[in-house]
Amino acid sequence: MIDFKNVSKTYPNGTHALHDVSLSIDKGEFVFIVGASGAGKSTFLKLIMHEETPTSGEIIINGTNTSNLKRSKVPYLRRHMGIVFQDFRLIEKMTVFDNVAFAMRAVGKPYSVIKKRVPYVLELVGLKDKMKCKPSELSGGEQQRVSLARALVNNPEIIIADEPTGNVDPEMSHEIIELLSEINAKGTTVIVVTHEHDLVREFSRRVVLIDHGRIKSDIGNNDNNEYSAEEYSVVPDYPENAVVIPD
Amino acid sequence: MRSFGYLTKEGLKNVWSNRIMSIASVCVLISCLVLTGAASLFSINVEAVVESVGQTNETSVYIKNEYSQLEAVYIGKEIEKVDNVASATFFPKEDAMEKFKVQLDDDQLFAEMQDRNKLPDAFIVVMDDLSKYDQTVADIMKIEGVDKVSSHSELAKKLTDISNLVGAISLGVTLALTIVSIFIIANTIRATMYSRRYEISIMKSVGATNSFVRWPFLIEGMVIGFVSAVVSTGAIAILYEVIMMAIQKAVPITVIPITDLIWFVAGIFAVAGVIIGFFGSLISIRKYLKIEGNEILGW
């Protein structure tokens, strides 16, 4: 589903964000991307979303080489993806319903479809009864679930969550990852970038560790999806202020 | 096209939620349109006056005093043969004196002057095409016995010169104000885009096409342009009435009634306003369509 072949990314200011990264994520996988601040995680996501293009190498998503994708085709690539942001990025003046509906309107869905689909997705994330609330009336965890509903509403094949638990309490963090696991169980590929290594160890999933722009380890990437506790013990705890390579 | 209604509504909402900047843009655009319109209407009226002066144009051709009236009649035949001369009517010196007497309105002074009767015989010449005035006068002056030529078309020429000058100035002012208007509208739209950068970043992240992102802002620019055009049309109609009434009181000329011009002005204003608004918006949007992700949010 997602193939990185010898991908490197150097920014115009000379920062080398990724070095010769090769990685394959299959359809239906759940992958944690971990690493210190500035390790290259965000660049990795930006390359998937085509917010950035690689300096060298190839990125293939759903069989399409996106490295030289025309700008006019980018929106259609992104319709295969749902993005969850650390800061939720909800529109304050809109209700929960409208925030989620906004993603459907942006891709030209008619209101007759929107009014059926949005309540359904909000029910999936447990917020059907808060449809008329404004984001400011919700807790951090609830806001993140609205953000998740918005990512899900267009029925994407891939969910990309950039630090989805960064602004919520530990209990809610667990719930968010649980919710992502449920979504994954229905066949959606899920990629989660996170700093929270305790959470990563708690969920037995594939873990890709990026360090200094390189893949340092790719744990649990085996065929039978069975990972040992020992394997997860190698996921390091980075100090809060660790900066390797800024991106 | 399914989203047309939604996007248009969003554009109209933009105008309202960004109303201070919208009002500023409308005001600048109104000044641009009113100034341009006033200059154009002035030119149209000057041209009408020039045309009417041209239609009643009579040029006096004076015959040298040493020629007798019989010789003057022959000279008149020569004048009639000149290209572009429609007619040449003899105006004897006696008639000129009578006319002068009426104008002078002083019998004693007139009696003194009549003794000296220095007024020449003349021909009142009407030309077919005033634009060939200079060449025709030059041809008439070549005829033996012709002393000098004086004309009422000097007024027409002066008016045409003023009209040309006003036209040139208004073109410059229009150009400058159009550029200013485009940039003011561009700034208004930029402010809207800044306040809606979250929405733009979300739209792009979920796969909205550039035209979907662009359309509400283009609508906003065009609405600002159209509202400016409507207000400008009203303003110029009132200004025209006030100024032209004042001019008519001072000078006995006939001006074109505003009712004959207003729909033409409204149409031109509407088209110009919408085009300026459209391009003003387009300038701002281009930047946002090129950048991605956090760059849109300025992070």
Side-chain angles (χ1 to χ4, degrees):
Chain A
M1 168 153 261
I2 299 172
D3 271 314
F4 274 53
K5 293 180 180 173
N6 307 106
V7 173
S8 294
K9 175 68 186 176
T10 304
Y11 286 102
N13 65 2
T15 304
H16 301 292
L18 287 182
H19 305 265
D20 197 27
V21 168
S22 291
L23 178 77
S24 190
I25 297 172
D26 291 335
K27 186 172 164 55
E29 266 199 286
F30 189 118
V31 184
F32 284 112
I33 308 290
V34 298
S37 292
K41 308 187 298 293
S42 294
T43 299
F44 179 75
L45 290 191
K46 283 178 183 173
L47 288 167
I48 295 175
M49 294 187 279
H50 208 273
E51 283 184 7
E52 295 289 347
T53 50
T55 310
S56 63
E58 280 185 355
I59 299 168
I60 295 158
I61 295 172
N62 273 347
T64 305
N65 187 341
T66 67
S67 310
N68 301 308
L69 197 65
K70 278 186 183 173
R71 192 186 288 180
S72 60
K73 302 283 179 201
V74 174
Y76 302 98
L77 171 78
R78 289 188 184 149
R79 289 180 191 185
H80 294 284
M81 304 169 191
I83 320 288
V84 180
F85 301 99
Q86 178 179 2
D87 57 357
F88 322 133
R89 295 200 191 169
L90 301 177
I91 299 158
E92 194 47 55
K93 64 186 177 193
M94 289 185 187
T95 62
V96 165
F97 177 94
D98 285 334
N99 264 287
V100 178
F102 184 69
M104 293 186 81
R105 287 189 173 119
V107 295
K109 294 276 167 59
Y111 188 70
S112 56
V113 177
I114 293 172
K115 69 181 180 187
K116 286 179 190 162
R117 175 76 179 159
V118 173
Y120 171 75
V121 176
L122 282 172
E123 191 169 16
L124 282 183
V125 298
L127 288 174
K128 197 182 177 186
D129 57 334
K130 302 221 168 168
M131 275 200 300
K132 290 179 183 170
C133 294
K134 293 281 175 72
S136 57
E137 295 162 8
L138 305 177
S139 68
E142 286 171 329
Q143 288 187 54
Q144 191 56 293
R145 281 192 277 157
V146 178
S147 173
L148 188 54
R150 186 180 59 200
L152 279 173
V153 78
N154 287 327
N155 207 14
E157 292 156 67
I158 309 163
I159 291 280
I160 297 166
D162 189 4
E163 304 277 7
T165 57
N167 282 334
V168 295
D169 58 55
E171 194 182 332
M172 196 49 71
S173 295
H174 191 277
E175 268 187 42
I176 297 284
I177 302 297
E178 280 283 5
L179 202 50
L180 286 167
S181 298
E182 284 172 29
I183 293 161
N184 172 249
K186 289 174 182 159
T188 307
T189 307
V190 176
I191 302 169
V192 180
V193 164
T194 184
H195 272 105
E196 296 185 48
H197 299 116
D198 288 341
L199 206 60
V200 172
R201 289 190 196 97
E202 197 179 326
F203 288 82
S204 296
R205 298 291 186 168
R206 181 178 171 190
V207 183
V208 175
L209 171 64
I210 300 181
D211 187 19
H212 287 77
R214 296 175 193 277
I215 293 182
K216 194 171 180 185
S217 66
D218 188 353
I219 308 159
N221 182 20
N222 57 23
D223 293 334
N224 57 15
N225 274 1
E226 289 176 6
Y227 318 119
S228 67
E230 289 75 29
E231 278 183 308
Y232 286 99
S233 66
V234 302
V235 176
D237 285 320
Y238 282 89
E240 279 299 305
N241 59 352
V243 175
V244 182
I245 302 167
D247 59 11
Chain B
M1 289 310 284
R2 194 164 48 192
S3 306
F4 180 80
Y6 169 74
L7 295 175
T8 304
K9 208 170 83 185
E10 289 297 299
L12 293 173
K13 268 161 64 180
N14 283 356
V15 177
W16 178 246
S17 56
N18 205 19
R19 51 193 172 277
I20 300 293
M21 284 299 282
S22 299
I23 290 168
S25 302
V26 165
C27 289
V28 173
L29 200 49
I30 286 172
S31 12
C32 170
L33 292 173
V34 167
L35 275 172
T36 311
S40 305
L41 290 181
F42 181 75
S43 289
I44 290 170
N45 272 286
V46 167
E47 274 172 29
V49 170
V50 168
E51 202 178 317
S52 76
V53 168
Q55 279 168 357
T56 59
N57 179 57
E58 289 177 344
T59 304
S60 300
V61 177
Y62 299 101
I63 309 300
K64 286 177 181 165
N65 264 328
E66 59 264 34
Y67 285 77
S68 68
Q69 287 201 338
L70 186 60
E71 287 168 320
V73 171
Y74 280 105
I75 294 167
K77 298 281 177 197
E78 291 301 308
I79 293 170
E80 279 178 345
K81 286 180 193 167
V82 171
D83 190 31
N84 194 38
V85 170
S87 65
T89 311
F90 187 54
F91 191 65
K93 61 181 85 173
E94 292 79 14
D95 288 2
M97 284 304 290
E98 277 304 308
K99 192 178 173 187
F100 183 57
K101 185 183 173 186
V102 172
Q103 284 177 346
L104 197 62
D105 198 22
D106 185 335
D107 289 347
Q108 196 184 341
L109 182 60
F110 179 72
E112 283 173 24
M113 291 183 75
Q114 198 177 25
D115 293 340
R116 285 177 272 159
N117 193 359
K118 291 277 195 253
L119 285 178
D121 289 318
F123 284 89
I124 307 302
V125 170
V126 175
M127 294 180 197
D128 288 323
D129 182 1
L130 252 189
S131 67
K132 294 177 185 167
Y133 176 81
D134 290 341
Q135 182 57 48
T136 311
V137 167
D139 291 344
I140 290 171
M141 288 299 290
K142 283 179 196 161
I143 299 169
E144 198 184 330
V146 171
D147 187 15
K148 61 179 180 176
V149 176
S150 80
S151 107
H152 302 293
S153 74
E154 277 167 21
L155 172 65
K157 281 188 80 179
K158 275 180 187 162
L159 285 171
T160 308
D161 288 347
I162 292 170
S163 175
N164 289 342
L165 184 68
V166 169
I169 292 171
S170 66
L171 184 71
V173 170
T174 303
L175 213 64
L177 284 176
T178 302
I179 292 168
V180 169
S181 303
I182 286 178
F183 280 99
I184 292 280
I185 289 179
N187 273 325
T188 305
I189 303 296
R190 199 166 288 143
T192 312
M193 296 199 87
Y194 183 78
S195 66
R196 303 194 71 174
R197 62 197 187 284
Y198 247 52
E199 289 161 62
I200 295 169
S201 81
I202 294 161
M203 278 190 222
K204 293 187 86 170
S205 73
V206 298
T209 56
N210 279 352
S211 58
F212 187 95
V213 178
R214 193 188 285 133
W215 190 244
F217 301 103
L218 291 180
I219 291 282
E220 183 183 354
M222 289 192 285
V223 165
I224 288 172
F226 187 74
V227 169
S228 308
V230 171
V231 179
S232 301
T233 306
I236 205 132
I238 294 166
L239 272 175
Y240 188 89
E241 280 295 299
V242 172
I243 293 171
M244 287 307 174
M245 271 173 70
I247 290 176
Q248 270 183 313
K249 272 184 189 170
V251 188
I253 55 165
T254 309
V255 297
I256 304 169
I258 188 64
T259 44
D260 288 4
L261 298 168
I262 199 68
W263 291 111
F264 171 72
V265 171
I268 297 284
F269 276 6
V271 171
V274 168
I275 288 176
I276 291 172
F278 179 87
F279 281 103
S281 302
L282 205 62
I283 290 169
S284 297
I285 301 163
R286 279 165 61 88
K287 177 198 156 195
Y288 274 89
L289 294 181
K290 280 181 185 169
I291 56 177
E292 291 285 353
N294 289 347
E295 272 184 277
I296 296 171
L297 303 176
W299 296 345

